[in-house]
Amino acid sequence: MPIEKILIAKNGKKFYVKDSSKDLHTEFGYIRSADLKSKDGTVLKTNTGKELSIFSASFIDSYRRIRRGPQTVSLKDIGIIVAETGINKKSKIVDAGAGSGALACFLANIVKEVTTYDIREDFLEIVKKNIEFLELKNIEAKNKSIYNGIDEKNIDLITLDLPEPWMAINAAEKALKHGGFIISFSPSIPQTMDFVNEINKSPNFVCLKIIELIEREWELEERKVRPKSRMIGHTGFLTFVRKI
Ligand code: SAH
């Protein structure tokens, strides 16, 4: 079951309601179960008088609460994958490794179908729990090495987030449609180098670009306006490849 409702304070602090048949306890006191059934936009008061607005949770609210095992692809990096490939409700996607299933689940929410591969059964358990939690029906998780071949055909996008992405190139070539994309995510440059050098040897692929996305958040309080002193320094490098 996904998250039911969100309660949000004026300072942006959020509370997640998984089961509105129970009272919700927060650091600002509690809200009674009966109040949790109020209509969206209602301002509720905790027993200590703190005001919290309530609304129904969206996909992204539940997504932020998925289980995390292996390091997941961050939202900023998912954003550019979606934007640069233009994937949509007609798209078929293959993803490896599944890891926590974060990238695969996010994509499944916007495309036709996703198949995600992983060699670790214990990680696939996490992935399956996340698929159930988000109530996604168009995603399959397979216990298989993507280096040994991709069963699916006519694929629009293959996302790779694993240690040796170059070892998936042959399988990707057979599974992708012409004009289809591979996007490889690697935390470090040696993997990116080996992947791109291998892609460049193939007459059937073109490497479009290698990027790193840096997100810097700002704080704004009256006239105190400046970048936050802490930021996420580095996630990984994204390599965009197209089958020709
Ligand atoms: N993108 C994922 C995280 C992937 S972590 C997310 O957003 O949640 C990397 C995963 O690759 C690990 O779970 C690892 O088991 C898997 N992996 C490593 N080699 C693999 C292979 N040959 N085929 C499929 N998965 C592989």
Side-chain angles (χ1 to χ4, degrees):
M1 277 282 287
I3 301 292
E4 268 184 53
K5 305 253 177 165
I6 300 294
L7 288 163
I8 193 160
K10 191 70 179 103
N11 70 357
K13 177 100 197 183
K14 264 194 271 174
F15 301 96
Y16 295 82
V17 182
K18 270 198 93 169
D19 181 0
S20 60
S21 69
K22 293 186 188 131
D23 294 348
L24 179 81
H25 292 265
T26 77
E27 66 201 58
F28 304 122
Y30 71 88
I31 302 245
R32 273 196 212 89
S33 158
D35 288 341
L36 295 176
K37 301 196 169 63
S38 308
K39 71 176 187 359
D40 288 2
T42 306
V43 179
L44 304 175
K45 272 194 183 159
T46 66
N47 65 318
T48 65
K50 177 81 179 174
E51 289 190 337
L52 299 173
S53 296
I54 191 164
F55 55 85
S56 302
S58 304
F59 173 81
I60 193 65
D61 299 307
S62 295
Y63 181 81
R64 288 186 194 279
R65 303 288 284 186
I66 61 171
R67 287 168 200 239
R68 280 155 209 274
Q71 180 70 48
T72 60
V73 174
S74 68
L75 284 176
K76 72 173 171 67
D77 294 316
I78 296 178
I80 197 93
I81 293 173
V82 174
E84 290 280 353
T85 58
I87 46 170
N88 59 30
K89 55 187 181 298
K90 293 184 191 155
S91 309
K92 283 173 38 175
I93 293 178
V94 166
D95 167 73
S100 305
L103 176 60
C105 287
F106 194 99
L107 297 178
N109 186 50
I110 52 177
V111 304
K112 184 162 184 242
E113 108 196 1
V114 176
T115 312
T116 183
Y117 289 66
D118 209 293
I119 46 174
R120 291 271 304 257
E121 257 177 77
D122 50 342
F123 293 160
L124 285 166
E125 284 310 308
I126 301 176
V127 176
K128 283 176 189 159
K129 290 218 167 79
N130 285 336
I131 294 172
E132 252 171 59
F133 171 63
L134 296 169
E135 296 184 326
L136 293 164
K137 307 280 179 243
N138 57 341
I139 168 167
E140 189 187 351
K142 286 189 178 175
N143 187 8
K144 189 178 161 184
S145 168
I146 196 163
Y147 304 154
N148 294 339
I150 295 172
D151 309 320
E152 295 69 30
K153 295 275 169 284
N154 212 25
I155 297 301
D156 297 282
L157 164 66
I158 298 177
T159 49
L160 300 175
D161 174 10
L162 33 66
E164 296 146 328
W166 55 92
M167 288 180 67
I169 294 175
N170 281 344
E173 189 184 328
K174 295 191 187 90
L176 276 178
K177 69 179 199 188
H178 289 282
F181 292 86
I182 307 178
I183 297 182
S184 179
F185 175 91
S186 294
S188 71
I189 272 295
Q191 291 160 300
T192 308
M193 265 171 51
D194 290 351
F195 177 67
V196 173
N197 286 333
E198 216 46 53
I199 283 289
N200 286 340
K201 283 184 200 155
S202 165
N204 301 320
F205 284 115
V206 50
C207 180
L208 304 172
K209 62 177 174 181
I210 304 152
I211 64 162
E212 177 189 11
L213 268 193
I214 295 169
E215 178 181 307
R216 187 165 68 154
E217 198 179 338
W218 285 53
E219 53 189 31
L220 192 159
E221 221 185 293
E222 297 295 334
R223 290 181 56 76
K224 186 181 99 184
V225 186
R226 61 181 194 199
K228 286 203 167 184
S229 38
R230 284 165 190 267
M231 65 185 287
I232 300 170
H234 174 72
T235 55
F237 303 100
L238 288 157
T239 305
F240 294 78
V241 169
R242 212 152 185 198
K243 180 172 161 182
I244 49 177

